[in-house]
Structure formats: C-alpha cells, structure tokens
Amino acid sequence: MNPYNPKIVDHFMHPRNVGEIADADGIGTVGHPSCGDIIRLFIKVEKLNGKRIISQAKFKTFGCTTAIATSSIATELIKGKTIEEALTLKNAEVAKALGGLPTIKMHCSVLAEDALKAAVADYLKKNGEEKYLNEVQTQSQKHEEAELLSRRI
Ligand code: FES
C-alpha cells in the first residue's frame, strides 16, 4: 500500500518553487544527520507598511519524496507571511498542510522547518539583528522545554 496521500505525491511530482533566488535576502541550508537529505531554502524579503514580508521562497532539495514535498509546501506556506510569522511555523503545520505524513517521515517536515528558520536567521544576521534572533531562539527553546516538561507530567 502507498503510504503517501495524493497531496504528498502531487508536491513530489510537481514541486512548487524549485530553484534558487540569485539575490536572496536569506539562505538556509540544513541536512539530516542520519538520512543525509539536504534542503537549501532561499527567501526574498520586502518591506511593506513597516512589515518584513517574505515575497518569494524557493528551494533545492537533495532528498526523499517527503523532503521534496515538505520543502515545496513550506515555500507555499511562507509566501506572504511576515518574518515573525515565518519563525513560528512548525513542522506539524507543514505536515498538516500535506494532509499528514507517515510517522516514519515526520522528520522530513522538521528538516523543512529547520531550513526555513535557517533562511530567516540568515536574513536577520545579514541585517544586523542578531539580538532579535537570539531573543526568538531563546523564547522558542523555552517553549519547547515547557512542552517537553508538560508531556512528562
Ligand atoms: Fe530524511 Fe526524508 S528521509 S528527510
């Protein structure tokens, strides 16, 4: 039986936003240590009414079916979002947008989330906003620790 739903197959067979952005404002490259898959994600950011909007997102993925599908849907999900909104995108939302993933493939959605966050981090660093980036990372770490704790209780 095919473990992939039609939406995953569609994004694998017809991935959206494949390629590079030559003058990207942020580039994130991440790899998974055990499977070796690699995602490189490019973003273009435009300022609009005081907000920083992701106007374009592209990717190049060397990886499995799900890594390609999650890269594709992640670029679709973040287009039009602010930098702040993009930083809150979780792998579960990526998986949900694809109609769910086989449990064994959930780490592929984590890789897509990590690539997006690495691209945003690159953008923030290039714009001298390390302080903001550190704050966001600290908040996110605290949130994850609280979640882990609440699951243990
Ligand atoms: Fe590793 Fe898909 S098998 S990202």
Side-chain angles (χ1 to χ4, degrees), residues 32 35-37 63-67 104-105 107-109 111:
H32 196 278
C35 67
D37 289 4
C64 72
T65 307
T66 314
I104 197 169
K105 289 292 184 178
H107 79 272
C108 314
S109 62
L111 203 60

